[in-house]
Amino acid sequence: MTLSVEDQEALEQAYILLEHPSFAAKVTNIIGTPVEKALSVLPDNWSDKLMTSTKGALSRALDVAVATLNYQHAGEASNTAHKVFTSISGALGGAFGLGGLAVELPISTTIMLRSIADIARSEGENILEVETKLSCLEVFALGGPAQTDDGSETGYFAVRTALGAAVSEAAKYITERGMAETGAPGLVRLVTQIASRYSIQVSEKAAAQAIPIIGAAGGATVNLLFINHFQDVARGHFTVRRLERSYDPDTIKSAYEAISAIERQAKEETTSQS
């Protein structure tokens, strides 16, 4: 099947949102310090603590996704309202520096999850379905690379494929048994896989807020960038899923890969000319 002009343009925009995440670049522009340098201010043992906090935040968000995202309403997504609430939580967290992250992260993650769900709903998803709720959680893994990534694991469809088995297992478990046993292997596996990617953006956020001059005002700004980033990723993700419902999924994947090939060729030609 051939995509309509409108749908081809929507897919191209989704590709840009999904393959060119820019959270680190935006943070660098705001704080005036490269994120890599800002990361050096984090304590040596911060990585393990950060992963624990990230997994805890995602686990709580998963509870919310399954138990409370039970609304369907018409209209566009309420992005602005979610940005305001996330900025407030960032201001409160920034006021307490790194020590406030463990308290602030679950709150901001949950607010972002509800924003992601709102975007999913605006793209025609049924938020009442468990699979859709887990797809909302999946967005946190699509916002950037994992520490263990190699070149074959960084593309949008590669990440979806890597998470596919865990998402299906978790959806089946929740459908059959509910959330009574959050330590079920399928749920733990899904949260761990998502956390390995989400923690990269969390570490960049934490590093920015750890800069002495950032404080509460900077924490609000960083969180605004944070939710902007994941709202963009969510828009791209659920645009692709919407198109997959209108066309054959393989058609959308092929069209997406064609966009990637054109971009790659253009970069090679630019490099060869320079």
Side-chain angles (χ1 to χ4, degrees):
M1 296 177 64
T2 302
L3 276 65
S4 68
V5 174
E6 182 181 3
D7 288 339
Q8 178 66 32
E9 291 176 350
L11 185 62
E12 290 173 0
Q13 182 60 32
Y15 175 86
I16 292 171
L17 294 174
L18 291 165
E19 301 296 343
H20 300 284
S22 56
F23 176 67
K26 289 179 179 179
V27 168
T28 296
N29 289 337
I30 290 295
I31 68 175
T33 303
V35 167
E36 292 77 10
K37 185 175 181 180
L39 288 170
S40 66
V41 307
L42 297 177
D44 293 337
N45 63 344
W46 182 251
S47 180
D48 291 340
K49 292 181 179 179
L50 184 67
M51 189 64 174
T52 299
S53 296
T54 303
K55 288 173 69 174
L58 288 171
S59 294
R60 293 184 184 91
L62 177 58
D63 290 340
V64 171
V66 175
T68 68
L69 295 181
N70 294 322
Y71 65 93
Q72 290 282 63
H73 60 87
E76 291 298 316
S78 303
N79 288 349
T80 302
H82 290 109
K83 288 176 182 178
V84 170
F85 290 127
T86 305
S87 296
I88 292 172
S89 71
L92 294 174
F96 293 96
L98 288 178
L101 183 65
V103 176
E104 181 265 325
L105 183 60
I107 297 172
S108 60
T109 299
T110 300
I111 294 171
M112 287 194 296
L113 178 66
R114 297 198 65 98
S115 179
I116 289 167
D118 205 22
I119 292 170
R121 187 269 315 154
S122 74
E123 292 289 346
E125 298 277 350
N126 183 358
I127 301 301
L128 302 179
E129 296 179 354
V130 170
E131 190 271 338
T132 299
K133 295 176 181 180
L134 294 181
S135 291
C136 291
L137 194 69
E138 191 178 18
V139 167
F140 292 111
L142 299 170
Q147 293 176 334
T148 57
D149 273 347
D150 59 32
S152 66
E153 298 177 319
T154 56
Y156 167 70
F157 279 101
V159 176
R160 280 184 64 181
T161 299
L163 293 174
V167 170
S168 297
E169 186 178 355
K172 181 180 179 181
Y173 183 91
I174 294 170
T175 300
E176 293 177 351
R177 305 187 188 185
M179 287 295 295
E181 298 180 27
T182 55
L187 299 178
V188 171
R189 188 176 303 113
L190 176 62
V191 169
T192 300
Q193 285 185 256
I194 293 175
S196 70
R197 295 175 178 278
Y198 182 42
S199 63
I200 300 298
Q201 282 72 51
V202 173
S203 66
E204 293 166 350
K205 170 176 136 62
Q209 292 180 210
I211 300 296
I213 63 172
I214 293 297
T221 300
V222 170
N223 257 27
L224 182 59
L225 296 177
F226 206 47
I227 190 170
N228 261 326
H229 172 72
F230 284 104
Q231 284 177 343
D232 285 346
V233 174
R235 181 63 67 186
H237 178 47
F238 289 107
T239 295
V240 171
R241 284 175 58 89
R242 171 173 59 80
L243 295 173
E244 288 175 339
R245 293 192 297 275
S246 299
Y247 300 86
D248 181 86
D250 289 337
T251 297
I252 299 304
K253 184 176 181 180
S254 296
Y256 190 97
E257 291 173 345
I259 296 170
S260 177
I262 291 172
E263 181 187 56
R264 189 164 54 250
Q265 181 179 1
K267 287 181 178 179
E268 291 174 353
E269 290 176 354
T270 300
T271 301
S272 64
Q273 293 171 1
S274 60

